[in-house]
Amino acid sequence: MQARVKWVEGLSFIGESASGHQVLMDGNSGDKAPSPMEMVLMATGSCSAIDVVSILQKGRHDVTDCEVKLTSERREEAPRLFTHINLHFIVTGRNLTENIVERAVMLSAEKYCSVSLMLGKAAEITHSFEVINL
């Protein structure tokens, strides 16, 4: 995997993936765009949400929505690493049970989400969820 980051101005940078997608990042506390640490947090949520939705769909469960609310804590001193991240999933669908959703969340957490598993080497990662049945 490859990527490129190019300085725009001030502390703003454009990141470009090998697939050609671009994203603006801002090192000035997220003044013009997400900061790199915000991007890492969002990447954690999206990686795990992709897993959860995919697992539920492969199990032929009728999932209609999945949202992940992320909360985090960071060290006060530099380097300002994450010390704790919680991923709270809100999964909506038809005939979903807590056991089904919990299994999908745990499979992502323990086996599939490479971003979360990598961050788990440095920070405590926790998961919670709620199920909304239509």
Side-chain angles (χ1 to χ4, degrees), residues 20 73 103-104 118:
E73 296 172 14
R103 178 180 173 276
M118 181 177 61

Side-chain angles (χ1 to χ4, degrees), residues 48 51-56 89 91 98-110 112:
S48 196
D51 293 338
V52 168
V53 169
S54 177
I55 290 164
L56 292 172
F89 292 83
V91 182
E98 289 203 2
N99 287 345
I100 289 167
V101 173
E102 181 178 34
R103 178 180 173 276
V105 169
M106 288 302 101
L107 280 170
S108 175
E110 296 170 0
Y112 293 115

Side-chain angles (χ1 to χ4, degrees), residues 4-108:
R4 179 176 88 111
V5 175
K6 179 144 177 44
W7 181 37
V8 177
E9 65 179 352
L11 293 178
S12 295
F13 293 80
I14 291 280
E16 184 175 348
S17 66
S19 58
H21 299 283
Q22 296 183 341
V23 62
L24 181 64
M25 294 173 280
D26 188 1
N28 195 17
S29 298
D31 184 39
K32 295 180 181 173
S35 72
M37 289 301 278
E38 288 173 320
M39 295 291 288
V40 169
L41 191 61
M42 289 186 290
T44 305
S46 60
C47 179
S48 196
I50 289 166
D51 293 338
V52 168
V53 169
S54 177
I55 290 164
L56 292 172
Q57 287 177 334
K58 285 178 183 173
R60 302 198 188 283
H61 300 288
D62 190 1
V63 59
T64 59
D65 192 37
C66 180
E67 178 180 353
V68 184
K69 293 185 178 181
L70 297 115
T71 54
S72 67
E73 296 172 14
R74 295 175 64 189
R75 291 173 23 135
E76 290 296 321
E77 63 280 348
R80 298 214 45 233
L81 306 173
F82 288 116
T83 57
H84 180 260
I85 298 172
N86 177 260
L87 292 84
H88 180 75
F89 292 83
I90 303 166
V91 182
T92 304
R94 291 175 186 79
N95 302 315
L96 295 176
T97 66
E98 289 203 2
N99 287 345
I100 289 167
V101 173
E102 181 178 34
R103 178 180 173 276
V105 169
M106 288 302 101
L107 280 170
S108 175

